[in-house]
Amino acid sequence: MKTVLEAIKERRLYLDGGMGSMLQAAGLPEGLLPDVWSIQNPQAIQNVHRQYLEAGCRIITTNTFGTNRQKLAPYGLTPAQVMTAAVANVRAAMEQAGVTDGYVCADLGPTGKLLKPYGDLDFEDAVDLFAETARAAAQAGADCVLVETMSDLYELKAAVVAVKENCDLPIFASLIFDGTGKLLTGGSPRAAVALLEGLGVNVFGINCGLGPKEMAPVFEAFWADSSTPLLLQPNAGLPRSEGGKAVYDVDPQTYAAEMLPLAPMATVMGGCCGTTPAHLKALIEATRDIPLPEVTQKETCFITSYCQAVALDGKHPVIIGERINPTGKKKLQAALREGDTGYVLNEALKQEEAGAHILDVNVGLPGLDEPAVLTATMEAIQEVTGLPLQLDTSNPEAMERALRRYNGKPLINSVNGKEESLNAILPLVKKYGGGLVCLALDDDGIPETVEGRVAIAQKIIRRAEELGIPRRELLVDGLTMPVSAGGENANVTLGTLCQAKQVLGVKTALGVSNVSFGLPKREQLNQAFFTMALQGGLDGAIINPMSAPMMAAYRSYCALTGLDDQCQAYMEAFRDAAPAAAPTPKAADSQVTLHQAVCKGLKEAAASQAKAQAEAGTAILDIINSQLVPALDEVGKGFEKGTLFLPQLLMSAEAAKEAFQVLKEYLPAAENAGESQIILATVKGDIHDIGKNIVKVLLESYRFRVLDLGKDVPPETIVETAREKKIPLVGLSALMTTTAPYMEETIRQLRQADLPCKVVVGGAVITQDYADSIGADCYAADAMETVHYAQSLLEP
């Protein structure tokens, strides 16, 4: 039989539908992890699989959404035991249905935790959890792996890396987006596509959370940017509660009709929560004769962070900020040696405000542990800015460690024509993904001619493509040499740039300022050379974005070439500036204030500023009410408007908490005391606590007193605690369809006990209608809405 990847080249394959909702209907005991039924009740699992097979599905996912070491520990089971039973159940169902052309897809769901620095799960610990399950899938005989329902690109990366390192099964992946087209941690469809293609995932797409109509804009965005086959698994609409169970209102025929417009873009189709074998049968009948999509290779290189994607499309040049590079910078050298991350983060933020699109990060200093320092510096920068980064090192070990833990798809600086460099760097690019800067030098040094440099670039391109790295990911650097050392140096560099664009068909990068080395009025020469390079087709300009002449040249070029629509960016930059002057970045004016530190998520600076003000005699409550709370409100409004994302919100909250911890030492004991005001709990049967933990961080940053009961909390425990502690507000969270009914049961018991507390609910499967139907007082679509509701009820 053909492999699953061979099969999808010939025909559209269909995944199955909702497992949790089907098992609920089959009598799954409330609160039991569904995966355990693969061992305890294999007949029930096989029956669900068989129904989907009889409907026409040919990729059947194992009942292993929660199969990892942590979730199985309470049951005394291992991932290997559950995965072996689950794969056997699919095989048995195929035999029962007489299906010989089906594929077993090992299902890997999220851990239920947020990764550091925003949560408490380390990246490598996440990789380890997924690795054990991936090994079990391969040993059990699965045909492929589906990493599904991921709401965070960093956790998705951990899972994919784990699968790649522990088996050779084809990898499918799917993400869960909200109604605004964002992931929980702010990732966009474009950022997701770039990461997944960089990691080499074979098929990817979206599932869960939304129905077909609501999912369409995100799926269309995937189609526009992707060079990879796509999968699509919507819910049967949005849930409501009926008789203590989640009910989905989109019937099979409506589901099929709403999927019809999306089918021409989907190579693999299926369903998620609420979809039954009848839904899948209707879908297959409606779409089976639609031709497979023609998956085209896109030419844009995307460089991304956890939330932002910068497009290198061959037309719009981008600015790569060069300031985080210790060469010739004594203050930065001292900061790196002393571990002063505050200085580095300030440099990053100043470049962002000045207009950089990507930040170069280089920590190469003699005597420094470059692998450790590069990774730590990169992670610290990613805590406070959503800009993508360029990882800049000649140390392969440092490059690999940073690439592995980078949250997104970075720009990699660099590889060159030396065999040692090619053998060390190209495999890293293939494994982790990234745009790659290719230096036109080899063992013989830097050629003096355009032809010599182009020949080296050709060699690098050939070797990269032999490994499966697309040409679109490569940026040739023609190497800027000082004109003071040779009158033709600038011409050779620019000639190489033009040849790379026009003959080799790749993007280009260039460190601009070296052209003026050894000459007076360097900025003047740099500006002219920069303009010439832009005219020649420069894609990635490594410059100082805080240089007024350089940014003026860039903005003028974009305006004059029609890249700046109606000169909007040009006018915005220079509206309030004197003639021939560039805007001064705000962060460069003075030391970071407490307000700025909280807004930017600078924890050390927030604590330092709070202490300084307290010791200077400023009233503590004035500091809190006039600086900390307004800063949090500003960030919260940005989050609600979609201009800031969850990680930035959390880091600001953490910065405010650091400041509060300092200020508490100066408050009278009476003002520090107080009973808990709010209970938070993930309901019985649910061990996913991402949402609850996010809400806790934000509430505490606003000085609410929170009692966190944890996850998998029985209704009786919540009721008894609320009664004993006289709690005025209870917050309940649920991620899974199978556990949402416990939210209703908890509210029922709270009302039956005649407690005066209000209840706010939230979670991936919860909607306003569902919240209304179970008697909740408030539905919070995100963490900030919980804060606002708490503010309306309680005095912080």
Side-chain angles (χ1 to χ4, degrees), residues 223-239:
W223 173 252
D225 289 331
S226 175
S227 305
T228 302
L230 298 179
L231 69 83
L232 180 64
Q233 288 183 285
N235 288 350
L238 302 175

Side-chain angles (χ1 to χ4, degrees), residues 100-124:
T100 59
D101 61 345
Y103 299 93
V104 180
C105 183
D107 191 88
L108 273 69
T111 62
K113 292 184 174 293
L114 205 57
L115 271 62
K116 293 179 180 177
Y118 316 115
D120 57 6
L121 182 63
D122 185 75
F123 179 84
E124 291 299 342

Side-chain angles (χ1 to χ4, degrees), residues 41 113 204 422 462 516 609 636 640 651 674 683 688:
N41 192 351
K113 292 184 174 293
F204 57 77
L422 292 167
R462 183 180 70 254
S516 63
Q609 284 292 324
E640 291 169 335
M651 295 315 298
V683 297
H688 300 86

Side-chain angles (χ1 to χ4, degrees), residues 18 180 224 304 362 559 730 732:
T180 68
T304 74
N362 183 313
V730 173
L732 302 176

Side-chain angles (χ1 to χ4, degrees), residues 403-418:
L403 272 176
R404 184 177 181 84
R405 297 182 70 95
Y406 180 80
N407 193 349
K409 178 192 165 200
L411 191 55
I412 298 167
N413 192 3
S414 57
V415 72
N416 60 57
K418 298 177 182 180

Side-chain angles (χ1 to χ4, degrees), residues 13 27 48 120 168 209 288 297 358 366 387 421 452 533-534 565 588 601 613 625 641 655 665 667 686 689 707 747:
L13 290 184
V48 173
D120 57 6
D168 58 1
R288 61 159 44 112
Q297 293 301 304
I358 298 171
L387 289 187
S421 177
L534 289 170
D565 186 34
Q613 291 191 38
N625 294 326
K641 291 177 182 177
E665 300 174 11
L667 280 171
D686 204 319
D689 58 1
L707 178 58
I747 294 174

Side-chain angles (χ1 to χ4, degrees), residues 33 53 70 83 117 146 390 399 437 459 506 618 630 746:
L33 184 70
L53 287 162
Q70 291 185 346
M83 185 62 76
L146 172 63
Q390 174 173 266
M399 183 65 78
V437 176
K459 173 185 176 181
V506 295
T618 307
T746 301

Side-chain angles (χ1 to χ4, degrees), residues 159 245 327 346 359 453 586 657 719 775:
K245 295 188 179 297
T327 303
N346 195 41
L359 300 179
R453 296 185 194 184
K586 295 177 183 177
K657 285 176 66 177
V719 172

